[in-house]
Each structure stands twice: as C-alpha cells, then as structure tokens.
Amino acid sequence: MSQQRTVHISSSPPSRPISGSPTASPRAAAGARSPTRPPTVGQVNPHLVCDVRASLPFLPGYQFNFNDSHAFDYSNTVPVFKEERPGIGGVLLPGQDEKRVQTSAHQLQQLVSDPNAESVPAWIAFDRKVLRFYAYFQEAVQERREEQFRIRKVNILFYLEDDTVHVIEPRGQNSGIPQGTLIRRHRMPRPGTDPHKAQYYLFSDLSVGKEVTFYARTFKIVGCDAFTRDFLTSLAIPVAPNSDYPNDPYESHRREVLARMRPTRPVPPRPSLKKFLENDRKVLRFYSVWDDTTSAFGDARKLVLHYFLADDTLEIHEHIAPNSGRDGNTAFLKRGKVPKRIKVGSSQAVVPRSEDFYTDRDLMIGAVLNVYGRPFLLCDCDEFTKEYYRDRYGLHDFTSIPYDAIYLEHAAMPDVPLAPLLGPLGGQVGSAPAPAAATAYVPPEYNGWGSEEDSLGSCLALTPKPPKKDVKKDHYYGQTVLRFAAVLNTARQVDRERRFVVTYHLSDDTVHVFEPHQRNSGIVGGKWLERCRVKVPGSSRSLNTHDLYLGAELVLAGFPFVIIGADEFALRYMDANPHQFPNHMPRGHTMAAFVPSDMERGRVRFADPDPEAVRDAAHAGNVPSVPGGGAGSEVEGEGMARFDSKAALGASV
C-alpha cells in the first residue's frame, strides 16, 4: 500500500548554506563585534571567540578562521545578489533584523508543518485557486436631498498563487455609476507601513466580519463563497456565517417611487417595445433538415434554426461535419424576417404585412418552412423551446423526427429523394417508394432579384450566360419610344393630382415611369420606376403593346395607373399599326402605314382630364379630347388626347 505524499509549499528556491568555519582570527572577530545586538540562534558569539583564542597556544591547528561573508554569488552559473547573507562573523547587517515580507506560502508553512513534505512552488500548489469575499463600502453623497450616503456592493477576489487582490463591483441596471473593476489585480499593501518595508495583505487578513482598507477606502466583508469557507476551515481558521448587506435608503426610496408610478395621460401602446423588453435574449432553437438531393452534387443537410422572440427574426446555421469538404463558415442565413412567400416582379414596393412573415405560431416539429424556395423540415427542438410552447400554447406532444435514421437510409439509397423517406409527422420513417418517371425540369419561381431572363440563366447552366437580345426586333425598333400620360387610380385627392409619364420601349418591351415636378405640390418628382419589364398581374407574361391604349389600366410596382393621354408620335404610330395595338381605337380618318423615323413629335400642353371619364369613353369607342391640348397641332382629329412631352419631361424631345 502506497504512502500518501505530503507537499511542502515554498515561496522561494532553496539557497546555499552560509559559508564559514568554526575558526576565525581575533581581529576579524573583534571587527565584527556588535555589543548592542544580542546573539541569535545559529550565529557565532564574538566574545566567546576572543576568550577561547586567548586560552589556546599560537600553533597551527589552534586558530579560528572566519571567511569574509559575500553577498554576490553564483546560482546555476548565473550571478545573483543574495540580500539575506550576514556580515563578517555571521552578524546580521543593519536592516536585516527587520521582519521579511511575509507571503501566504510562509503562513501555510507554519500552519501545515510536516518535515517529510515535498517542496512545491506556490504558483503550482495554488494554481487557479481564488478566494471570493462579498463586501460593501459606504460612499458619501453631497448636495442631494434624496440620499446622504450610498451602499456600494463589491466582490473581493484573493489569488493564492501570488497574493494579489482584485476588487469588482457588479453592474446594476440604470445605476448611473461607472461600475465594473474598481481596483485592478495586484498585491495590496497594508495601510500605515513604511513604503520601503511594506507588508501586503494575506489570506488570513480577509475573513467574514472583518474590515479591510484598500487605498483609504474601507470595505466591510459580509460573506464568502463555499470554496473560501472550506479552505479557511481546513486550516483551522474560524469563519463567521454570512450576513446581509445593510439597507440602502435611496434604493428603498426608488422602489417606492416606481411602485406608485402610473401614467397620467393616455399613451398609444408600443407592442414592439413591450415585446422586446419581455422577450429580450429569449431564442427558440429548432433542428431541421434541407433536402438538396435534386440539385447537382446536392445532399441532405442539417441546419439549426434560431427564432428570436424579441423581434420575430430568424437566422439559420448549418451543421458542418468534419471532413465534409464544405467551407467552415456555418452561417447559412443572416438574422432577419423571413417571408412566407416571395413576391414576384416589382410588387416588392408594396409594404408587406406582419402576417406575411414567419412567426412562432408557424414553427413546430414536423412543419415545413419555405425559406426563399428551400424547404426546411423541423425535426426537433431544445428544452427551452418545448417549455415555451407548453406554457404559451398548451402543447405537450414534442415527438422528434429521427433525421439521423433518415440520413442513414438516404445514404444507402442516394438516388431516392429524402422527402419520401420522412413518413408521417409522428417520427416514423416510411419505406422508400419506387423511383418516379423522369419529368421535365420546372425552373423555380422568380424571386424579383435582377431581371427574370438573367436569373433563369443561373438555373439552366452551371456557368450562366447573359440573355441574348432579339437582334431583329432591336434593329427595327431600336429608337422607337412611345410616351403616355398616366395618373394614379386612387381615391386619395393628393395622389389624384399627380401626373406621370410612362415610356414604353418597343425594342425590348421595357417600361420606365417619370413624375414631372409640380410647383407647390409637396411631392418631389423625378424618376419613379427604373426601366424594366413589368409582369401583368395574374399572368406570367410581361407588359406588351396589347395592353397600351387610352383608358387602359396598368399595375406598375403594385400601384394602379390609368392612361389618360399620349404624345402625337405615339398616337400616329398606334393608328398606323393596328396589328400591334388591337385595343386602340383609331381616329376618324385613315392613315397609311409609315416608318417611325419619318414621324414628327407634336408638342402640346399637359392635360388635366378625369381618369374615369377617359377610361369610360375609351371602352365606348370615343377617344375624348384633352382640355387645353391640341391647339395649333399638325394633326386635327375628332379629339385626340395629347400632351407636351418636352414640358412633361423637362428636356428637349
């Protein structure tokens, strides 16, 4: 049976014994005589040396030889200065009789004395051992009626390895006081000592119920943690029980004021702020699976979904297995609100509603989330999420879907998609069905980013190519531009007075909208819609010439418009090309076909008609005349809707 080894703690490495011999010369002994200092244990008495020398003959072998003591020595071939070396004859030098700087290691050597103990440095014996004391100090407050003093609570940390002290004040909410580290970690000198012979605080100076002074500030210790109490008790140092902090009058006053505080006038509720204050740092966690096996080199991927209750935002991180060949960045989707359905086309200008985004009601085990066209199956959640749904919605069934088993089955049958293997939502894994017949590739729905042709190229090829232009159409209609006057079809009087210029490019069927500046209207004009293709609502086709005529209703960027007029060039072009504009009502006389470059554009003033009257008259077959427009025009018809494109656009046509 092995014997337990005892560790002896030392604060400094062992030094060489003092050199010397029992023989010395009388002159050396007389020179080192100090009659005012009594001899100590282990030193040679110079008076005794003189008496012995006088009684011995002056022959070889009967002489005492005292070697001169030296403070400069070598330790492991390194020159060192040993301050503790005595003077000649072993007599201490002036100042060496003062008490040495005491450390915790010295005290532990006295408390735990074992001659068979093994010497171990203090920085190894007390590595990462810290004593924690709870204390407070009273701070005077000047020129305040509410309080005369303040009780500030602190934590005192004592590091046993080097006798350093660290004082920290816990941060309080809305305290208005710079809190945190009050005294940085260092050896704390005791007050009232000589700076050149200063002594430092040791662990025995700190105990429950004592008062310590750090730099003229007195701290009252009221308690300690369990480790500190056990450590001091094992050394037979009595520790008083923990006590409470004294009452702070100002904190009691503030609690009473806050309890009586009530709103004195009606304030509109702010549910977002209330929701943030109640649910801050509360996050729901779901474990999900994304089946990406239908794409090239795709596989089933594990992801972790975080839902922040404070602002109803989502973030997704991917679980990347070691040696998977994927990048180490786990961020899959940055934090933000995730829409349930992606808006197609330019309808993103419409302000989305709150019910258009995913909330905590939509998240549950077995639910499938459509995150920007990618289906995520929620398979499991953590304990906090289960507790939240149990308390808020009364749910108790949180049977997880074993997606690890699904992964193993999918690895055995990589040609079978992951979705048929999921089975019912209760977590049972279904059997793999027979492979379905190959079907035509259906590209995903357009998400509104960039042009549709450009986005479709990334779905058809690994290296997308820019969409090709219709060279023949661009050659014939490259410079042909039709301008129409339009107004908003709305009941708001402010929007009914706004005027827009809708420009249609025949070369690529694109549209851009410009709003002329109107003085004293309160609306800043300028470019309203960038040149782009516009989807027709309820259809997959883009806006073309069949949709352009006087009185036509258009939906541009989610806003309804009514065409109320056109410039002279657009009217003559539509009259001459009825096959391109089948819904346009030509004017009374017949015009021969013409080349667009041979037309001259008319310049008449912008009109202010009623959009409903223009639309009704256009459906009846009569194109209404625009009041104030058409005077002095080259073409005189049975009333044509015209406007001055130069005045509207603010530039030469």
Side-chain angles (χ1 to χ4, degrees):
M1 190 153 180
S2 61
Q3 185 178 2
Q4 186 178 3
R5 184 178 62 177
T6 307
V7 176
H8 177 72
I9 302 170
S10 62
S11 59
S12 60
S15 58
R16 292 184 180 180
I18 300 175
S19 61
S21 64
T23 60
S25 63
R27 182 175 301 176
R33 179 177 301 174
S34 179
T36 59
R37 183 180 298 109
T40 58
V41 179
Q43 300 179 1
V44 180
N45 191 345
H47 300 281
L48 180 61
V49 172
C50 294
D51 297 340
V52 172
R53 181 186 177 282
S55 61
L56 294 178
F58 189 72
L59 295 174
Y62 293 92
Q63 299 178 359
F64 294 95
N65 182 19
F66 282 98
N67 294 329
D68 294 341
S69 178
H70 55 281
F72 298 98
D73 204 344
Y74 285 88
S75 177
N76 295 330
T77 67
V78 177
V80 295
F81 173 72
K82 296 189 176 181
E83 188 178 0
E84 69 277 2
R85 288 290 178 86
I88 298 176
V91 180
L92 295 178
L93 297 177
Q96 288 185 344
D97 57 346
E98 300 291 339
K99 186 178 180 181
R100 297 181 180 180
V101 176
Q102 296 294 329
T103 62
S104 297
H106 294 156
Q107 283 195 347
L108 289 174
Q109 290 178 8
Q110 299 174 3
L111 295 175
V112 183
S113 58
D114 189 354
N116 299 326
E118 181 182 354
S119 178
V120 176
W123 58 273
I124 295 180
F126 300 126
D127 184 26
R128 292 178 295 180
K129 291 184 179 181
V130 184
L131 306 182
R132 182 192 299 268
F133 298 92
Y134 306 110
Y136 72 92
F137 68 94
Q138 182 174 315
E139 183 181 38
V141 179
Q142 307 294 338
E143 299 180 356
R144 284 186 63 90
R145 182 173 58 87
E146 295 83 0
E147 55 178 342
Q148 287 74 35
F149 64 91
R150 184 180 297 125
I151 301 298
R152 300 181 62 175
K153 306 172 184 178
V154 298
N155 294 336
I156 301 178
L157 305 179
F158 186 88
Y159 296 84
L160 292 171
E161 56 182 348
D162 53 0
D163 297 339
T164 54
V165 178
H166 188 195
V167 182
I168 304 174
E169 182 179 8
R171 300 182 184 274
Q173 295 183 355
N174 301 326
S175 64
I177 304 174
Q179 297 173 325
T181 300
L182 292 183
I183 302 178
R184 291 185 296 178
R185 177 181 174 182
H186 66 285
R187 297 182 71 179
M188 192 69 62
R190 294 179 181 176
T193 58
D194 188 1
H196 301 286
K197 305 173 184 178
Q199 298 295 329
Y200 301 96
Y201 276 100
L202 306 179
F203 71 91
S204 59
D205 301 324
L206 305 177
S207 184
V208 178
K210 290 186 177 181
E211 293 185 358
V212 292
T213 302
F214 299 155
Y215 298 114
R217 178 171 288 176
T218 303
F219 297 85
K220 176 69 174 182
I221 301 177
V222 297
C224 62
D225 59 0
F227 171 77
T228 305
R229 185 176 297 275
D230 295 340
F231 178 81
L232 297 178
T233 305
S234 63
L235 298 176
I237 298 177
V239 182
N242 295 351
S243 59
D244 297 331
Y245 290 101
N247 185 26
D248 192 348
Y250 182 71
E251 289 186 0
S252 303
H253 172 69
R254 287 296 303 168
R255 285 194 294 266
E256 293 178 2
V257 172
L258 293 177
R260 297 194 305 265
M261 189 176 297
R262 294 291 183 274
T264 58
R265 58 181 178 179
V267 179
R270 299 177 61 184
S272 58
L273 178 60
K274 179 181 178 182
K275 187 175 184 179
F276 172 78
L277 296 177
E278 292 179 352
N279 300 317
D280 186 25
R281 293 179 293 181
K282 293 183 180 180
V283 184
L284 305 181
R285 177 182 295 177
F286 291 90
Y287 305 98
S288 60
V289 175
W290 172 35
D291 180 15
D292 192 29
T293 56
T294 57
S295 61
F297 307 103
D299 56 354
R301 302 165 70 173
K302 296 181 180 180
L303 302 104
V304 180
L305 185 145
H306 293 156
Y307 181 83
F308 297 86
L309 294 172
D311 52 359
D312 297 330
T313 54
L314 280 171
E315 72 174 7
I316 300 177
H317 291 269
E318 185 177 2
H319 174 71
I320 301 177
N323 301 326
S324 62
R326 297 188 180 275
D327 189 18
N329 185 15
T330 61
F332 187 84
L333 179 66
K334 69 177 183 179
R335 180 177 175 179
K337 291 191 175 183
V338 178
K340 296 180 182 179
R341 188 172 183 180
I342 303 174
K343 303 297 182 181
V344 181
S346 302
S347 59
Q348 292 182 350
V350 182
V351 179
R353 299 173 297 177
S354 59
E355 56 266 18
D356 295 339
F357 299 98
Y358 281 110
T359 61
D360 56 344
R361 295 176 177 269
D362 304 315
L363 307 180
M364 194 55 197
I365 297 178
V368 178
L369 305 184
N370 184 9
V371 181
Y372 297 104
R374 298 173 178 84
F376 286 84
L377 174 66
L378 304 184
C379 299
D380 200 359
C381 59
D382 60 357
E383 292 299 329
F384 173 78
T385 305
K386 296 178 182 179
E387 189 68 23
Y388 172 79
Y389 280 96
R390 188 179 296 111
D391 297 341
R392 186 175 182 86
Y393 298 106
L395 301 178
H396 299 281
D397 186 11
F398 299 99
T399 305
S400 61
I401 299 178
Y403 50 89
D404 291 333
I406 297 174
Y407 267 90
L408 295 176
E409 189 171 351
H410 179 266
M413 297 177 293
D415 297 334
V416 180
L418 181 63
L421 300 176
L422 297 177
L425 299 181
Q428 300 296 331
V429 179
S431 59
T439 58
Y441 174 71
V442 178
E445 188 178 5
Y446 175 53
N447 57 6
W449 297 96
S451 63
E452 187 174 3
E453 294 81 3
D454 190 28
S455 300
L456 186 61
S458 61
C459 302
L460 301 178
L462 184 62
T463 304
K465 298 180 180 179
K468 296 182 179 180
K469 288 186 177 181
D470 191 345
V471 181
K472 184 176 180 180
K473 189 175 182 179
D474 184 69
H475 175 71
Y476 281 102
Y477 305 107
Q479 302 298 328
T480 305
V481 178
L482 306 181
R483 292 179 174 86
F484 300 89
V487 294
L488 284 171
N489 188 9
T490 179
R492 296 183 59 189
Q493 183 62 27
V494 177
D495 293 336
R496 288 174 64 90
E497 297 176 357
R498 300 172 66 180
R499 298 293 180 264
F500 300 87
V501 178
V502 180
T503 305
Y504 181 79
H505 299 264
L506 289 171
S507 60
D508 54 358
D509 297 328
T510 56
V511 177
H512 76 269
V513 181
F514 182 86
E515 183 177 6
H517 297 274
Q518 300 185 41
R519 299 183 61 181
N520 301 328
S521 63
I523 299 176
V524 180
K527 184 186 295 184
W528 192 87
L529 179 64
E530 187 72 28
R531 180 176 175 180
C532 63
R533 288 193 176 186
V534 178
K535 286 285 187 179
V536 177
S539 176
S540 60
R541 65 180 183 86
S542 302
L543 188 71
N544 54 26
T545 56
H546 293 239
D547 304 312
L548 301 177
Y549 55 90
L550 297 182
E553 297 181 359
L554 307 178
V555 178
L556 304 177
F559 292 86
F561 285 83
V562 177
I563 296 179
I564 61 173
D567 64 354
E568 185 63 30
F569 175 78
L571 289 173
R572 296 185 64 182
Y573 185 86
M574 290 190 296
D575 291 342
N577 299 275
H579 61 282
Q580 295 184 4
F581 302 89
N583 297 324
H584 171 65
M585 294 297 176
R587 292 174 288 186
H589 61 281
T590 305
M591 299 181 62
F594 63 94
V595 181
S597 59
D598 298 336
M599 287 298 300
E600 295 181 0
R601 308 186 182 197
R603 296 179 181 177
V604 293
R605 294 179 299 168
F606 201 100
D608 294 328
D610 186 4
E612 298 182 0
V614 174
R615 183 177 64 252
D616 297 340
H619 289 310
N622 301 322
V623 179
S625 60
V626 177
S633 178
E634 179 183 344
V635 180
E636 302 292 344
E638 293 101 356
M640 298 180 298
R642 308 180 183 91
F643 71 97
D644 190 354
S645 58
K646 178 179 179 181
L649 296 175
S652 60
V653 180

